[in-house]
C-alpha cells in the first residue's frame, strides 16, 4: 500500500469544506456491527450537506486516498470499515426527507435518513415504505441501498432494490450523476440504479435516493406459531406461501432460538411444551379480507403440525412480538461471548435442508448454532456461538463451521449472502460461488466508475 | 465501418457449427415490429442448442464482426436489427422450458420460449409468471429480458426484471457466465442480472433465464369503465391505486382509441354515448375478497365520474376485453397508413398532464394522436398517426411531434421509454435525458462486457 499523505488531505479538506466536516473522535468508526476490525480511519469526514460530497471525493481522488462511505454503521460484514486506512465518509449528517410526493407515491431522501424515520413520515401520509431490516430504528436508507437490505416484509414486498427508482451518485472521480428515474418504469440506458444497489460503496457514493412507495395497508395482524421441529415450520412456510394468504412476512426461529426465548420470558405469548421452532406470520390488508386470511393462515400452520398458534391483532402485542424477533441477534449475543453470523440464502425448496445442514455442521464441529430469519425468502441468519476462551481450538472449529456452511449453501443452489453483503467478512469465500473470470468482469465494471480504485478498495472481491 | 469478411466467417461457422445453423432467407430479419430498417443482415445464425452460442460469439469476436441478438423480432425500436451489417443471432430455436421447480417457485427457460408458452406451462402447475407484454403470444422471454418488457400486470406485479433471478450470458468475447442466483434474495457481488435486464443485447447474449414465479391467483375479474375524458379516467387510476383494491392492471385508452373501438364493434360490451376514455381494471385474488374488491373498484371509478362500468367475470368475456386492449396497436395501424409509436413514462401524478400534452402536441402539428397504455405505471404509448402521402411536410410535422413529446415528458420528470427500450429509434433523443458524461460511463461499462464492441454496436447510445 502506498503511504497516504493524510496531513495534506486534511489541510485541503479544511480549506475547501471547513474544518467542521472533520470528525475528531475516529474511534466509533473503527468497527461496524460485525466482527471485523478495529480499523482506525485516517480521517473521518461528515458532510453537512449533499453538495460537499463531490468535492470531498475529488480531493480523495486527487490524493489517491481510499474512501469508505458509511451509513449508520449497522452493517455486519465490515463493508464500511477503512481497512486500507484513508477516509471514512460518514453520510449520517445528510438526513433530510427532501420530498414525499403522495400523488406519485414516491419519496426523495438523503442517505442518512433512518429507515424508521422514513417509515413514520410516509405512513403519516397514508403511504408505506416496506423494507424493514431488523436494525430499522438505527440504520439509514443509504446503507440499506448500498447493501440492498431486506427484512421480514421482503417476503411480500421485496427488498430495498425493489423500491429504488433513482439515485444521485458521486463516482470515484468525483463526478455527480443522477441515475434511474422518477417514473415507476424506465428502460432508458442501462439499469445503473440497479447496479449501484448492493454495490457496498465500491462504485459510487449515494447522495440522494428516489424511492417508490405503496399505499399503507390499513390493518395488519401477526401470528406466532410453534412447532415441534424446524422441518414442520418449513412446511408451514411452504403452505403459507402457496395457500392464498399472501403473507407479508414469514420468519423462522430454530430450536436454539426458541428455547432461549421460552426461557427468557420476553415473548408476549406463552409457548406450549415441546416448542422447538417458531414461525412469525405477518398478514396485512383490509379488514374483512384480513380476518379471513388470519383464519386461513392459522389453519395452514396447524396443517403443518403447529403445536399452538397465537394471534396478535392489537398493535402493542404485535409490536412486542416483532421486537422480540428483531432483537434475536442481540439476544444471542447476550448469551454467548462471541457470535459469528452468516446470512445465506437458498431456493425455497431447500430451506429445510439448509436449516438441517446448519444444525449438523454445528454438531460436527461442537459449536453452538442458532438459525433464524426470512424463511419466506429462503434466507437464514445462521449464527455460530462460542466462548473464545472455552478451548484452544475453538477459533479453528468456528472457521470450519463457516466454511462448511458456505459449501453446503452452494451445494443447495444457494448464495453466500441474502442481504448483508460480502464486505470483508465473506470475501474469502467468493471463489466458492463466482469464478475468477466473473470477478474480473465485475472489477472491470468498478474501473468504469472508479478508475483509481479509491472507493472501498478491496471490498467484496478477494485479490487475484 | 471496416469491411467485414463475412464469407470467411460463413465458412468458419459452417465448419464449427454445421451449415444447418445458417439461415438462408435473411429477409424476415431486416425489420422488427417498428419503423426502422430495412437492414439486411450479412448472415443469420439460428443455433439449435445453447452450447452453440459461445463458439459463435467467439468467431464474431475473432473476425470483428458485429452481432445483433434477436428474440422473436417483436421489438419496436430496431434493437435487434443489423444496422452495422454483420450477423443476426436468432435465439428463437432455443425454446426449451428446462425446469419448473414448483416448491422453489422458479422456472428455468431458454430465451426463445414464447411468453405465452411459459404462462401456460407454469399456470398448469398452479404458478404464475406475471409479465404480459401485449405481444405475449408471439414474443419470447429472452427478448422480454433484453428490453425489460412490461405489460398490464406490471401494475401489481412489476416488470420482467422483477422476476429475473439469474441469467446465463455470453459476453462479447464469447465467455460464458452464470450471473444472479436461484434464491429469491442474493447480494453476492454486483447485480449483474439486473444490469443485463434491459441492456438490449449490447452487453451479452442471454442463453438461459432463471425466473421467479408466484402462486397463481385463483380468480380474476375485469372492469371496463368509460369516462367523458381522459382526466376523469386518470382520476380513477389514482383512486384505484390508493383505494385498497390492489389492481393487477389499470389500462387507459384515450379519445381517439375509444371512438375507434366504439365504431369498430369489437368490444364485448356496449359503450355509453359520450364515452371518450376507457379504463380497463383487472383485479385478481381469492373469491370472497375479489367480490368485495370488484364492488369497491366500480365505486372508485364512479366516484371519478365513470359513465358506465361493465364487469366481466367469465374467462371468455375477460379474454375478449383484453384481446381488444392488446390489439390496440394493430387496430390503429389498420386505420392509418403509418404510425410512430412512443413509449414514454412519467411520475404517476403527471399522467393527466402527459395525456393532455400528447393531445396538444398532435393538434399543434396537425397530426392525429392516439394514446393508450399502462396508466397504473404512468407509462403511455403515444402514437402519431398519418398518411405519408397526405402532404409534403407531414414527415417533418411528425418529427416535431416526437421531439415535442420527449421534451414534454422530460419536463414532466419522465423518461423516454418505459418498456420498449431505446434501440435505434430513440437514440437521437438520449441527450435530452442523459448527459454526455453519463452516456460515456455506460459505454465504459459496455467495454467491460464487450471490449471489441461487437454486440449491437451503436445501439442505445448516440455517437459522441
Amino acid at each position: 500500500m502506498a503511504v497516504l499523505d493524510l496531513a495534506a488531505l486534511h489541510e485541503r479538506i479544511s480549506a475547501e469544506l471547513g474544518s467542521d466536516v472533520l470528525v475528531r473522535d475516529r474511534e466509533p468508526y473503527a468497527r461496524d456491527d460485525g466482527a471485523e476490525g478495529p480499523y482506525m480511519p485516517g480521517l473521518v469526514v461528515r458532510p453537512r450537506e449533499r453538495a460537499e460530497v463531490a468535492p470531498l471525493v475529488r480531493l480523495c481522488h486527487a490524493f489517491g486516498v481510499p474512501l469508505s462511505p458509511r451509513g449508520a454503521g449497522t452493517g455486519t460484514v465490515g463493508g464500511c470499515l477503512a481497512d486500507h486506512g484513508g477516509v471514512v465518509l460518514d453520510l449520517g449528517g445528510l438526513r433530510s426527507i427532501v420530498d414525499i410526493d403522495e400523488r406519485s407515491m414516491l419519496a426523495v431522501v438523503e442517505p442518512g435518513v433512518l429507515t424508521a424515520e422514513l417509515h413514520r413520515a410516509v405512513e403519516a401520509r397514508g403511504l408505506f415504505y416496506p423494507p424493514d431490516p431488523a436494525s430499522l430504528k438505527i440504520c439509514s436508507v443509504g446503507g440499506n441501498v448500498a447493501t440492498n437490505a431486506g427484512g421480514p416484509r421482503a417476503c411480500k414486498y421485496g427488498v430495498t432494490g425493489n423500491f429504488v427508482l433513482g439515485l444521485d451518485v458521486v463516482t470515484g472521480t468525483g463526478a455527480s450523476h443522477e441515475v434511474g428515474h422518477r417514473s415507476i418504469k424506465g428502460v432508458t440506458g442501462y439499469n445503473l440504479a440497479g447496479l449501484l444497489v448492493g454495490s457496498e460503496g465500491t462504485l459510487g457514493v449515494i447522495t440522494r435516493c428516489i424511492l417508490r412507495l405503496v399505499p399503507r395497508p390499513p390493518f395488519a395482524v401477526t401470528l406466532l406459531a410453534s412447532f415441534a421441529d424446524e422441518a414442520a415450520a418449513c412446511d408451514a412456510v411452504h403452505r403459507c406461501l402457496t395457500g392464498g394468504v399472501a403473507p407479508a412476512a414469514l420468519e423462522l426461529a430454530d430450536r436454539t432460538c426458541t428455547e432461549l426465548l421460552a426461557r427468557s420470558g420476553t415473548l408476549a405469548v406463552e409457548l406450549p411444551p415441546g416448542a422447538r421452532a417458531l414461525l412469525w406470520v405477518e398478514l396485512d390488508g383490509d379488514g374483512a379480507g384480513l380476518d379471513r386470511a388470519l383464519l386461513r393462515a392459522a389453519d395452514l400452520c396447524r396443517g403443518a403440525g403447529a403445536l399452538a398458534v397465537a394471534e396478535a391483532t392489537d398493535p402493542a402485542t404485535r409490536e412486542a412480538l416483532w421486537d422480540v424477533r428483531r432483537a434475536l441477534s442481540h439476544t444471542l449475543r447476550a448469551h454467548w461471548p462471541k457470535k459469528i453470523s452468516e446470512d445465506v440464502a437458498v431456493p425455497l425448496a431447500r430451506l429445510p435442508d439448509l436449516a438441517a445442514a446448519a444444525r449438523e455442521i454445528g454438531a460436527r464441529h461442537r459449536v453452538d448454532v442458532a438459525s433464524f430469519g426470512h424463511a419466506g425468502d429462503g434466507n437464514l441468519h445462521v449464527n455460530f456461538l462460542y466462548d473464545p476462551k472455552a478451548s484452544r481450538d475453538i477459533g479453528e472449529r468456528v472457521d470450519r463451521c463457516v466454511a462448511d456452511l458456505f459449501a453446503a449453501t452452494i451445494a443447495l443452489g444457494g448464495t453466500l449472502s441474502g442481504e448483508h453483503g460480502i464486505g470483508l467478512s465473506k470475501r474469502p469465500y467468493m471463489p466458492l460461488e463466482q469464478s475468477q473470470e466473473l470477478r474480473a468482469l465485475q472489477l472491470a465494471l468498478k474501473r468504469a466508475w472508479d478508475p483509481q480504485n479509491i472507493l472501498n478498495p478491496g471490498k467484496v472481491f478477494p485479490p487475484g
Side-chain angles (χ1 to χ4, degrees), chain A:
Chain A
M1 211 180 322
V3 177
L4 305 174
D5 190 353
L6 291 175
L9 178 60
H10 184 285
E11 199 170 306
R12 283 290 297 279
I13 292 171
S14 290
E16 286 199 26
L17 301 175
S19 59
D20 284 4
V21 299
L22 288 152
V23 177
R24 266 153 222 240
D25 182 9
R26 292 171 287 135
E27 182 78 35
Y29 296 89
R31 287 190 177 278
D32 64 2
D33 199 37
E36 301 296 326
Y39 295 107
M40 185 65 72
L43 296 172
V44 175
V45 181
R46 184 176 161 99
R48 294 144 307 190
E49 47 188 281
R50 273 198 311 131
E52 292 172 335
V53 173
L56 173 70
V57 178
R58 278 197 293 272
L59 285 176
C60 290
H61 180 252
F63 280 77
V65 168
L67 183 151
S68 294
R70 181 183 177 104
T74 58
T76 65
V77 294
C80 63
L81 302 183
D83 65 312
H84 281 54
V87 173
V88 162
L89 169 54
D90 175 2
L91 294 153
L94 306 179
R95 204 157 160 174
S96 166
I97 296 179
V98 180
D99 186 26
I100 297 174
D101 180 340
E102 292 173 41
R103 193 104 183 168
S104 293
M105 294 199 278
L106 61 82
V108 183
V109 305
E110 291 186 337
V113 170
L114 299 187
T115 310
E117 280 176 359
L118 178 60
H119 287 164
R120 276 193 298 275
V122 305
E123 286 171 26
R125 313 273 197 104
L127 294 165
F128 195 55
Y129 176 70
D132 60 341
S135 53
L136 59 91
K137 291 172 185 172
I138 53 168
C139 67
S140 64
V141 172
N144 293 173
V145 171
T147 56
N148 197 9
R153 296 195 299 228
C155 179
K156 177 171 183 173
Y157 293 97
V159 290
T160 300
N162 293 103
F163 295 88
V164 173
L165 296 174
L167 296 171
D168 286 11
V169 61
V170 176
T171 71
T173 62
S176 297
H177 295 293
E178 295 181 15
V179 306
H181 37 85
R182 294 175 76 96
S183 50
I184 293 173
K185 290 159 69 178
V187 293
T188 302
Y190 297 149
N191 180 11
L192 299 181
L195 180 61
L196 287 166
V197 170
S199 65
E200 304 190 36
T202 62
L203 301 180
V205 181
I206 293 159
T207 60
R208 210 176 62 155
C209 313
I210 305 176
L211 302 170
R212 183 179 182 179
L213 306 173
V214 296
R216 186 182 59 183
F219 302 105
V221 294
T222 308
L223 294 181
L224 185 69
S226 47
F227 298 86
D229 55 39
E230 292 128 16
C234 289
D235 188 37
V237 168
H238 173 71
R239 289 169 186 243
C240 285
L241 284 174
T242 56
V245 295
L250 287 171
E251 295 285 310
L252 179 81
D254 77 347
R255 177 174 177 167
T256 309
C257 296
T258 303
E259 291 179 344
L260 197 62
L261 291 177
R263 282 201 306 275
S264 74
T266 55
L267 271 174
V269 301
E270 196 149 337
L271 296 183
R276 295 210 167 118
L278 294 177
L279 187 66
W280 283 253
V281 183
E282 179 90 345
L283 304 166
D284 62 16
D286 67 1
L290 197 54
D291 290 345
R292 237 186 18 263
L294 182 65
L295 291 174
R296 174 123 183 87
D299 276 350
L300 292 166
C301 288
R302 287 191 200 100
L307 303 175
V309 183
E311 300 174 3
T313 52
D314 65 296
T317 314
R318 287 187 48 241
E319 191 59 21
L321 281 181
W322 280 110
D323 277 342
V324 168
R325 161 63 191 87
R326 281 193 291 262
L328 258 177
S329 177
H330 289 269
T331 304
L332 295 175
R333 221 176 261 186
H335 283 77
W336 278 267
K338 195 129 195 208
K339 166 170 97 72
I340 297 288
S341 176
E342 300 306 341
D343 165 46
V344 289
V346 292
L348 283 174
R350 313 313 296 270
L351 181 67
D353 305 320
L354 175 62
R359 165 185 307 289
E360 194 276 319
I361 287 166
R364 186 189 314 156
H365 300 298
R366 290 169 293 120
V367 174
D368 288 337
V369 60
S371 301
F372 63 86
H374 315 308
D377 292 313
N379 178 205
L380 279 194
H381 301 312
V382 178
N383 300 273
F384 296 110
L385 305 154
Y386 60 104
D387 179 350
K389 298 185 198 125
S391 77
R392 237 183 15 198
D393 67 340
I394 181 70
E396 255 171 63
R397 284 189 279 126
V398 171
D399 288 349
R400 282 201 293 267
C401 283
V402 171
D404 285 1
L405 177 70
F406 286 138
T409 300
I410 300 295
L412 292 169
T415 187
L416 299 179
S417 177
E419 56 181 19
H420 290 173
I422 301 300
L424 295 173
S425 305
K426 293 178 205 164
R427 200 173 54 169
Y429 303 98
M430 281 291 275
L432 283 177
E433 184 167 344
Q434 298 190 349
S435 68
Q436 200 277 329
E437 293 76 14
L438 186 57
R439 288 178 277 131
L441 170 59
Q442 294 174 83
L443 288 169
L445 296 178
K446 178 167 168 50
R447 280 193 291 278
W449 291 87
D450 178 26
Q452 211 175 336
N453 195 26
I454 63 164
L455 295 176
N456 254 349
K459 297 273 169 70
V460 181
F461 304 104

